[in-house]
Amino acid sequence: MSQPDGPSKTLDNLLTESRTFPPPAEFAASANATSEMYDRAAADREGFWADQAEHLHWDTKWEQVLDWSDAPFAKWFVGGKLNVAYNCVDRHVDDGNGDRVAIHWEGEPGDSREITYAELQREVSRTANALASLGVGAGDRVAIYLPMLPEAVFSMLACARLGALHSVVFGGFSSEALRARINDAEAKVVITCDGQYRRGKAAPLKANVDEAVQHTPSVEHVLVVKRTATDVQWNERDKWWHDVVEPQSDQHTPEVFDSEHPLFILYTSGTTGSPKGILHTSGGYLTQAAYTHRNVFDLKPESDVYWCTADIGWVTGHTYIVYGPLANGSSQVIYEGTPNSPHEGRHWEIVQKYGVTLYYTAPTTIRTFMKWGAEIPAKYDLSSLRVLGSVGEPINPEAWIWYRDNIGGGKAPIVDTWWQTETGAIMISPLPGVTATKPGSAQVALPGISAKVVDETGEDVGPGGGGLLVLDKPWPAMLRGIWGDDQRFKDTYWSKFADLGYYFAGDGAKYDEDGDVWLLGRVDDVMNVSGHRISTTEVESALVSHPTVAEAAVVGASDPTTGQGIVAFVILRGNAADGSGGEAALKALRDHVSHEIGPIAKPRQIMVVQELPKTRSGKIMRRLLRDVAENREVGDVSTLADSSVMDLISKGLNKSS
Ligand code: WTA
């Protein structure tokens, strides 16, 4: 089959990479994961997962590991009962580890807070009592629109404790995006703060909520954490966190819930305009979150200091800041701010300060560090680091090697972890201490997970072949649906290989000659900008909602730092077209997209064109636009309704540049 059209340039060199790095012998000798785990899981998958589930505290044990009779709706650990928050917090106190630090919280301005498991238990209990006093109970939805504050973790765990579903909305999303998510989930309460510190400045946050909740009939209360002491407008539904939460009792008895009780909704971009509310449930999700965190990062809870730099608004923050690490009783760093505040060595200063041993970040961040220069990390003592993780997009071999040499002291194993919001937890990754790693490849499915690269008919392409990534067997942390839309769930993930029952991930991939998997980027209309999923249609609809725009087409063009950058081609409306393309007009369009979706969706570049390349059936040929955006010679135009369009676009652009 043809090469999937993901980010292309990095991939060419990615596929010629052949170095391997065997695990250091000492590391292998004491690693949590062993190569026998692959055999055990292959021989008895369900038995293997049952063993992993035994690491949690169940109030009632399950009767059946997996019920797949109503596929693609899975039930894991059927009949089992547990409380997810009890597992992440109270259990460690009951086990005598109440004094262990759960969270080393580091504020951007330099303030910090140390939260032990005993204190976490008190904070989560207070928050749960507060939410209950506001009428939140099992099955209700709570929207959380907070930056990286301890209260974000307390809120998520308080929801889990009460059996309410949280829907965390990334603080970088606009009020419009927030409103759409609140309404889709019909959230009863919104938790936010006055403002957030970003790059040394306090930026208002609550104002976005004020705007959003003007059109959200379900919202009864807005709970506001005071962080920056920014002036805020005060509305009838608003309540200060310190007034409502602090006076509460720090005792709360968790109720137990069914293994399949819903835990959270997290919205992610799909190929169509409206974001999908990915639904995750309790027992299976927590089992795989804890299992992967323990084995992929080789976590030793007594001695490790773990740090995942993701934002809590993304799935990585859910699974690898909140649920996995806390279920395993980890001590972890949570950092509020940006990597260059107040200086470009901030991450390394934090690693040195807390003696961080396990560090998990995204390729885009690594490439940014590369740009800032190796002399910056060299000023700090990073010798505590023993495992480095990567997630969010394919990591190019140069970045991988730079990461290993300059951050990992030339020896820390790198785990390149492939997974998705939908998979809930890591699926494909090396195991440190077991796998000889290869720069640029996520390599093999974890024990208990099954993945394949197949052609359009679902046939495994075999070593050396390329095609589409599928997950051919159900897994415990798999999404249980799209909130309120079972049909869309089936259509999006299960219809492409319906006869085979495969989950279609939307990623292109290939095997090398050893059978290791290399991810090649999305094959659908989803862009990956700095590891954030943004759909081309979402940005297109934002653009055409501006009065000057008649039509828009958006592509993700490869970008040396962010993986992909958003490039938009717009046709302006008649009267706007004359004075078109002026800097001010283009800036207004960029700002408009930012207002509609959020700053992360701002196009890197907007090109004004007279026509867009379309097939006879009217489908925009993004492949050709990507050629233009990436300054390549334009590819095959034979399926265009009017093949002169590309000449026109190229000429027009030459003229304007
Ligand atoms: C991409 C993030 C290559 C992929 C956890 C996937 C990756 C999408 C990797 C999911 C990786 C994530 N190598 N590509 N290690 N990790 N991706 O839902 O395209 O925000 O489908 O979940 O990111 O993004 P999401």
Side-chain angles (χ1 to χ4, degrees):
M1 65 161 270
S2 64
Q3 186 78 350
D5 37 25
S8 44
K9 263 184 221 130
T10 49
L11 298 173
D12 297 339
N13 62 41
L14 197 148
L15 295 176
T16 59
E17 178 61 46
S18 61
R19 284 170 283 188
T20 58
F21 297 88
E26 286 157 74
F27 192 111
S30 60
N32 292 348
T34 58
S35 59
E36 287 75 50
M37 286 167 63
Y38 292 102
D39 307 329
R40 159 93 176 99
D44 177 11
R45 247 170 61 80
E46 292 187 13
F48 174 83
W49 282 116
D51 290 352
Q52 303 312 320
E54 294 285 2
H55 286 266
L56 302 180
H57 173 88
W58 296 82
D59 294 273
T60 307
K61 197 173 164 172
W62 59 88
E63 289 141 18
Q64 190 186 353
V65 173
L66 169 66
D67 176 0
W68 192 228
S69 58
D70 185 27
F73 298 93
K75 291 196 183 78
W76 281 87
F77 308 111
V78 184
K81 291 195 191 320
L82 79 172
N83 185 291
V84 169
Y86 175 84
N87 271 278
C88 293
V89 185
D90 311 55
R91 173 163 72 123
H92 308 307
V93 179
D94 293 350
D95 289 347
N97 293 316
D99 291 339
R100 183 183 296 162
V101 174
I103 299 172
H104 298 279
W105 181 78
E106 179 83 9
E108 194 186 81
D111 50 338
S112 63
R113 180 172 173 193
E114 219 157 69
I115 302 164
T116 61
Y117 274 96
E119 194 180 347
L120 186 61
Q121 184 182 35
R122 292 192 290 269
E123 292 286 8
V124 173
S125 296
R126 275 194 202 100
T127 313
N129 285 324
L131 289 178
S133 79
L134 298 177
V136 174
D140 287 338
R141 277 83 59 203
V142 173
I144 301 176
Y145 186 61
L146 278 174
M148 300 293 284
L149 299 178
E151 287 81 359
V153 180
F154 305 158
S155 300
M156 290 165 77
L157 291 170
C159 288
R161 210 173 171 90
L162 297 170
L165 291 75
H166 52 74
S167 161
V168 183
V169 180
F170 175 54
F173 276 125
S174 67
S175 58
E176 258 314 291
L178 174 62
R179 184 192 52 73
R181 286 159 175 77
I182 291 174
N183 282 340
D184 188 72
E186 297 174 286
K188 211 170 182 176
V189 172
V190 181
I191 306 178
T192 187
C193 63
D194 51 352
Q196 57 178 337
Y197 288 112
R198 292 311 275 175
R199 302 196 167 79
K201 282 202 271 298
L205 194 67
K206 181 172 181 291
N208 283 349
V209 179
D210 296 339
E211 206 177 316
V213 298
Q214 284 174 18
H215 308 283
T216 55
S218 61
V219 174
E220 293 171 16
H221 306 280
V222 176
L223 197 53
V224 188
V225 176
K226 190 175 223 154
R227 170 60 181 145
T228 53
T230 304
D231 274 341
V232 290
Q233 176 191 319
W234 209 246
N235 307 311
E236 206 188 320
R237 284 179 282 199
D238 299 345
K239 293 184 176 57
W240 284 111
W241 175 282
H242 52 258
D243 288 340
V244 179
V245 179
E246 272 164 32
Q248 298 289 335
S249 156
D250 61 13
Q251 307 284 314
H252 178 269
T253 310
E255 207 184 309
V256 298
F257 296 100
D258 192 86
S259 176
E260 282 301 331
H261 188 79
L263 182 62
F264 65 84
I265 305 169
L266 182 58
Y267 287 84
T268 188
S269 289
T271 50
T272 59
S274 63
K276 301 174 286 199
I278 303 301
L279 177 68
H280 283 288
T281 62
S282 304
Y285 170 79
L286 196 64
T287 296
Q288 193 179 333
Y291 156 72
T292 50
H293 182 255
R294 195 164 55 241
N295 290 290
V296 173
F297 297 99
D298 192 47
L299 176 84
K300 310 281 197 274
E302 317 74 37
S303 53
D304 275 317
V305 181
Y306 165 83
W307 181 17
C308 167
T309 72
D311 191 279
I312 223 141
W314 307 111
V315 74
T316 308
H318 283 57
T319 308
Y320 296 106
I321 293 178
V322 180
Y323 292 110
L326 296 177
N328 288 335
S330 320
S331 292
Q332 69 174 322
V333 170
I334 296 183
Y335 170 53
E336 180 185 32
T338 47
N340 53 352
S341 288
H343 57 80
E344 291 171 349
R346 186 68 190 270
H347 274 209
W348 318 124
E349 189 179 74
I350 293 174
V351 167
Q352 179 176 290
K353 173 172 174 188
Y354 295 104
V356 172
T357 55
L358 316 172
Y359 177 80
Y360 192 25
T361 197
T364 182
T365 314
I366 300 165
R367 290 192 297 266
T368 304
F369 293 140
M370 287 171 78
K371 221 162 48 181
W372 292 344
E375 62 285 1
I376 293 172
K379 282 188 259 179
Y380 299 88
D381 178 6
L382 306 182
S383 60
S384 54
L385 288 170
R386 59 180 202 91
V387 179
L388 302 177
S390 171
V391 61
E393 54 174 313
I395 176 165
N396 43 314
E398 300 84 87
W400 195 103
I401 297 285
W402 188 94
Y403 195 25
R404 179 181 159 94
D405 287 348
N406 295 288
I407 309 301
K411 60 175 195 303
I414 295 181
V415 287
D416 175 3
T417 62
W418 179 88
W419 60 294
Q420 308 178 297
T421 306
E422 292 86 342
T423 70
I426 298 172
M427 302 293 282
I428 304 180
S429 169
L431 285 174
V434 177
T435 317
T437 52
K438 288 182 186 170
S441 171
Q443 299 190 286
V444 279
L446 291 178
I449 300 298
S450 188
K452 281 182 181 173
V453 182
V454 300
D455 64 17
E456 285 288 335
T457 68
E459 192 74 36
D460 194 315
V461 295
L468 304 171
L469 183 72
V470 296
L471 303 166
D472 57 315
K473 299 210 171 82
W475 62 100
M478 67 196 293
L479 76 167
R480 300 302 198 264
I482 293 177
W483 183 252
D485 202 342
D486 286 351
Q487 194 55 46
R488 191 174 175 196
F489 168 60
K490 291 185 195 159
D491 293 347
T492 310
Y493 305 107
W494 304 94
S495 63
K496 189 159 178 75
F497 300 106
D499 301 345
L500 298 160
Y502 293 171
Y503 168 92
F504 173 49
D507 279 27
K510 69 164 273 157
Y511 294 120
D512 62 18
E513 293 302 332
D514 305 327
D516 281 324
V517 175
W518 298 69
L519 277 309
L520 302 176
R522 304 285 306 188
V523 293
D524 52 17
D525 293 332
V526 176
M527 298 174 286
N528 189 329
V529 182
S530 298
H532 303 153
R533 274 165 70 170
I534 301 167
S535 88
T536 51
T537 26
E538 225 173 333
V539 180
E540 284 163 6
S541 20
L543 283 166
V544 289
S545 74
H546 192 272
T548 61
V549 176
E551 219 180 323
V554 166
V555 299
S558 69
D559 183 288
T561 306
T562 60
Q564 285 189 303
I566 303 177
V567 177
F569 294 81
V570 297
I571 302 178
L572 296 177
R573 281 181 195 276
N575 48 3
D578 310 331
S580 70
E583 261 318 300
L586 296 186
K587 181 175 180 300
L589 283 184
R590 268 199 289 274
D591 290 346
H592 178 70
V593 174
S594 178
H595 180 262
E596 292 295 300
I597 307 173
I600 49 165
K602 236 184 207 192
R604 181 184 79 185
Q605 196 181 2
I606 298 182
M607 307 196 196
V608 177
V609 294
Q610 305 300 323
E611 298 267 7
L612 289 169
K614 288 186 184 156
T615 60
R616 274 167 214 100
S617 60
K619 197 170 167 345
I620 293 173
M621 292 196 68
R622 291 203 176 77
R623 173 172 64 78
L624 300 176
L625 292 174
R626 202 172 298 128
D627 289 341
V628 175
E630 294 178 345
N631 294 318
R632 260 196 312 273
E633 198 162 314
V634 172
D636 182 8
V637 296
S638 57
T639 50
L640 281 182
D642 173 2
S643 62
S644 64
V645 168
M646 288 316 293
D647 287 344
L648 256 176
I649 291 180
S650 307
K651 263 198 224 118
L653 294 176
N654 288 338
K655 211 170 45 193
S656 65
S657 59

